[in-house]
Amino acid sequence: MKQFLLLLFLPILVQAYGPVQNDRNYQVQMDLTKVVDSKIKVTVVVPVLEQDDAVYSMPKMIPGTYKIYNYGQFVHELKALDSKGNLLKVEVLNENQWKIEQAYELYKI
């Protein structure tokens, strides 16, 4: 019975946790069991990009709330990596936006 359940859920586990870069979808990973100083690590595997630079943005506000939240204030140590784990240059544009150079090499944030 255990083997049957493993085979049944294996495609879901591979899709959810596999390091495959897809050309259309974003994959977001976070582990809420590893909270350190009220912070969690969030990893975003991005679709294949073709442009030289990309801007990663967090919302300033949510429509209908009429309140400024500046969600970028909660981002600490934003890093952009290529598929080999090398750091890409990241420039802070403002509280909610970061410019990532060589975006065509970007694998995850």
Side-chain angles (χ1 to χ4, degrees):
M1 182 66 171
K2 291 179 185 177
Q3 292 173 337
F4 175 73
L5 289 175
L6 179 62
L7 290 175
L8 183 64
F9 290 109
L10 187 60
I12 296 170
L13 293 173
V14 169
Q15 184 178 6
Y17 297 103
V20 178
Q21 186 174 15
N22 187 313
D23 62 344
R24 297 178 312 185
N25 298 316
Y26 289 86
Q27 297 176 6
V28 179
Q29 301 167 348
M30 63 184 90
D31 188 347
L32 298 176
T33 64
K34 296 182 181 177
V35 178
V36 178
D37 296 328
S38 299
K39 299 175 188 174
I40 61 169
K41 180 180 178 181
V42 178
T43 302
V44 180
V45 178
V46 301
V48 176
L49 302 174
E50 296 179 4
Q51 63 265 28
D52 292 333
D53 299 329
V55 176
Y56 185 78
S57 300
M58 297 292 290
K60 182 174 184 169
M61 65 178 289
I62 298 174
T65 62
Y66 306 106
K67 183 176 178 184
I68 304 296
Y69 290 102
N70 286 322
Y71 285 103
Q73 69 181 317
F74 302 113
V75 177
H76 302 280
E77 299 180 35
L78 187 130
K79 297 178 185 176
L81 304 168
D82 65 13
S83 61
K84 296 178 183 175
N86 299 316
L87 289 172
L88 300 175
K89 186 176 179 185
V90 176
E91 175 187 347
V92 178
L93 298 177
N94 58 52
E95 188 173 19
N96 297 306
Q97 295 182 315
W98 298 261
K99 178 182 172 184
I100 301 168
E101 295 184 10
Q102 297 176 315
Y104 51 85
E105 293 185 8
L106 181 63
Y107 176 70
K108 67 181 176 180
I109 301 171

